[in-house]
Amino acid sequence: MAKESSSKLVPGTPLLKDELDIVIPTIRNLDFLEMWRPFFQPYHLIIVQDGDPSRTIKVPEGFDYELYNRNDINRILGPKAACISFKDSACRCFGYMVSKKKYIYTIDDDCFVAKDPSGKEINALEQHIKNLLTPSTPHFFNTLYDPYRDGADFVRGYPFSLREGAPTAVSHGLWLNIPDYDAPTQLVKPLERNKRYVDAVLTIPKGTLFPMCGMNLAFDRELIGPAMYFGLMGDGQPIGRYDDMWAGWCTKVICDHLRLGVKTGLPYIWHSKASNPFVNLKKEYNGIFWQEEVIPFFQSAVLSKDCTTVQKCYIELSKQVREKLGKIDPYFNKLADAMVTWIEAWDELNPPKEAAGVPNGTVKGK
C-alpha cells in the first residue's frame, strides 16, 4: 500500500474536509486529478488499483492519498479477498471498507469537471455534500423537487407531519456528454450525447428502484456503507457492468426498510470517454437476460422487523438471493456467499461501536 501526503493548502475551508474520503478505482495514471485539484486537493483520496499490482500508478503531486493494489487487498482481507472483484471497477468497494470517514465520494477516472449553463465549473463534491446534509422526502413526493434547496419549499398539500424528511443516505449524480447506456443502446445510438443540464435534485420515492451509476456517487458510510457492495464482477465471473446497479438495488431496498432517503440529479460531471459497446455486450450479455427476473425480485423483497441494522438487512437479503435467484444461475449462489463474506470482512475492519446507546448502523426509531 502506498501512502503520500502534502502540506500544500487550498484556500478556504472545504465542507466535511476531515469527514469524507474520495474513492477512485483505476488501472492508469491519475492525470485527470489535475482538473479536479481545486475541489479535491483538500480531501483524502483512497485509490484502488485494479489489474496488474506490479504496475506503478502515478498520482499528481500535492494530493493526500493511500493506494491499494491487489496484493494489499489479499494481505488485508486474506481468504475473504475473494469477495472483491478483479479486473473490474467493482473493486472500488474495497475503498469503502477501509475508509474510516463518515462520507464517501466515488468517481471514475474518465470523469472531468463539467460546466453549468452559465459556463461556471461545477464543484460536484460540494453539491453532493449539500444533498447528503439535507433530508430526503421518500414517503411523499414534492412537486418542487428538493424542498430543502434554496428557492424551494414544500408545496401546498404536503403533509406537515412529513416535512422533517428522512436522513439522506445516498446522493446519485449525473453526467453530461457520454450517457451511461447499456451496450445495445450504445450500438443503435453511437453518436448520442447528453447535453441537457437539468437543475434539479429529486428524492427517489419509497418502493421505487433505480439504476445506480457508480461514476459520480456519494453516500453516508455510517448510514448505509455495508450495503454498498459492488458484487462479483469481472475476471472469472459470467457478468460485468452490473456492479453499481446491484449495489443500488440492494441499497434502495435497505434504505426503504430503514426509512432512509436516496437523492438523484445534481451534480453533473463531464463523462469524457465512451467505452467499447462490443466489449460491453460481452460483459452485459447475461445481465440483460437476468435483470428481467432480478429486478422483480428486488421489487418484491421484504425484510423482517428484526433487520434493524444495515448488516442484518444485507445478510437477510443474501439469503433471499440464494433462495430465489439461485434458480436462475449458480452464479447467484456464489454471489450470495460473497455478500455474507463482504459483511464479515466489513465488520472485521469496522468493529461495531456504541454511540448514544445505539449500536453502529442502527437507525433510531426502528
Side-chain angles (χ1 to χ4, degrees):
M1 180 188 73
K3 286 193 176 185
E4 184 168 306
S5 63
S6 170
S7 58
K8 294 181 181 179
L9 297 177
V10 174
T13 305
L15 290 168
L16 303 180
K17 176 182 178 296
D18 299 319
E19 298 180 68
L20 182 144
D21 279 334
I22 300 173
V23 175
I24 306 168
T26 193
I27 58 171
R28 58 182 64 86
N29 295 334
L30 294 180
D31 300 329
F32 91 115
L33 285 173
E34 285 295 351
M35 71 179 65
W36 286 103
R37 186 180 291 277
F39 308 125
F40 287 2
Q41 188 167 337
Y43 295 89
H44 179 68
L45 312 182
I46 297 178
I47 300 163
V48 184
Q49 178 181 342
D50 196 18
D52 182 2
S54 67
R55 184 172 181 225
T56 300
I57 298 291
K58 294 181 180 179
V59 181
E61 186 179 351
F63 286 92
D64 172 33
Y65 71 89
E66 51 193 303
L67 186 151
Y68 297 90
N69 61 32
R70 193 69 200 186
N71 292 339
D72 298 315
I73 295 172
N74 291 338
R75 173 178 53 81
I76 292 168
L77 296 184
K80 292 184 175 65
C83 74
I84 304 297
S85 298
F86 183 57
K87 294 187 178 178
D88 192 280
S89 64
C91 67
R92 78 177 77 217
C93 62
F94 177 77
Y96 310 160
M97 182 186 287
V98 296
S99 170
K100 301 304 177 188
K101 304 291 179 61
K102 178 173 171 55
Y103 299 98
I104 294 288
Y105 174 53
T106 185
I107 185 171
D108 284 3
D109 60 15
D110 62 350
C111 293
F112 300 163
V113 178
K115 294 182 179 180
D116 67 18
S118 73
K120 180 182 177 182
E121 290 191 335
I122 298 167
N123 184 346
L125 183 53
E126 181 180 59
Q127 179 64 51
H128 274 299
I129 291 170
K130 289 178 179 178
N131 291 347
L132 289 171
L133 293 182
T134 53
S136 297
T137 54
H139 304 109
F140 200 91
F141 188 79
N142 191 56
T143 51
L144 270 184
Y145 310 127
D146 189 344
Y148 305 100
R149 289 186 71 197
D150 291 340
D153 211 322
F154 293 98
V155 298
R156 181 171 55 90
Y158 199 99
F160 285 90
S161 60
L162 293 177
R163 293 191 182 194
E164 288 188 5
T168 301
V170 180
S171 172
H172 178 255
L174 298 175
W175 0 264
L176 295 171
N177 196 37
I178 306 295
D180 185 28
Y181 285 163
D182 53 40
T185 308
Q186 281 184 293
L187 287 167
V188 298
K189 294 184 172 182
L191 301 179
E192 186 155 289
R193 299 293 181 266
N194 182 30
K195 300 177 181 179
R196 293 186 303 155
Y197 179 95
V198 180
D199 186 13
V201 178
L202 309 175
T203 293
I204 301 173
K206 181 180 180 180
T208 300
L209 297 177
F210 73 111
M212 190 174 81
C213 172
M215 74 172 82
N216 175 27
L217 178 73
F219 60 92
D220 186 321
R221 185 176 172 277
E222 291 184 0
L223 281 181
I224 201 63
M228 278 290 180
Y229 175 47
F230 276 45
L232 286 177
M233 303 283 155
D235 193 51
Q237 308 302 335
I239 186 174
R241 284 173 55 84
Y242 275 81
D243 52 331
D244 43 7
M245 289 184 288
W246 179 265
W249 296 328
C250 292
T251 293
K252 187 57 167 63
V253 168
I254 293 172
C255 282
D256 287 351
H257 177 75
L258 296 179
R259 301 184 67 83
L260 302 172
V262 177
K263 293 181 180 180
T264 187
L266 300 180
Y268 285 92
I269 50 83
W270 181 269
H271 188 204
S272 67
K273 186 180 69 174
S275 50
N276 186 314
F278 295 100
V279 173
N280 290 346
L281 187 59
K282 289 181 180 180
K283 295 178 180 179
E284 295 173 0
Y285 180 80
N286 284 322
I288 289 170
F289 288 99
W290 291 346
Q291 71 181 16
E292 301 306 316
E293 295 183 66
V294 170
I295 292 172
F297 159 76
F298 281 107
Q299 288 174 324
S300 61
V302 176
L303 300 174
S304 70
K305 292 182 179 180
D306 294 334
C307 293
T308 54
T309 68
V310 176
Q311 285 94 328
K312 288 179 180 178
C313 290
Y314 205 73
I315 292 297
E316 181 161 319
L317 201 52
S318 75
K319 294 175 183 176
Q320 295 182 25
V321 166
R322 178 186 303 282
E323 178 187 349
K324 297 182 179 179
L325 297 184
K327 301 171 185 177
I328 299 174
D329 190 272
Y331 164 75
F332 289 100
N333 292 326
K334 187 176 179 181
L335 179 54
D337 288 338
M339 292 170 71
V340 174
T341 302
W342 161 264
I343 293 297
E344 291 172 350
W346 181 284
D347 285 345
E348 284 182 11
L349 294 183
N350 303 276
K353 57 187 177 183
E354 298 293 320
V358 180
N360 188 39
T362 299
V363 176
K364 294 181 181 180
K366 264 313 269 188

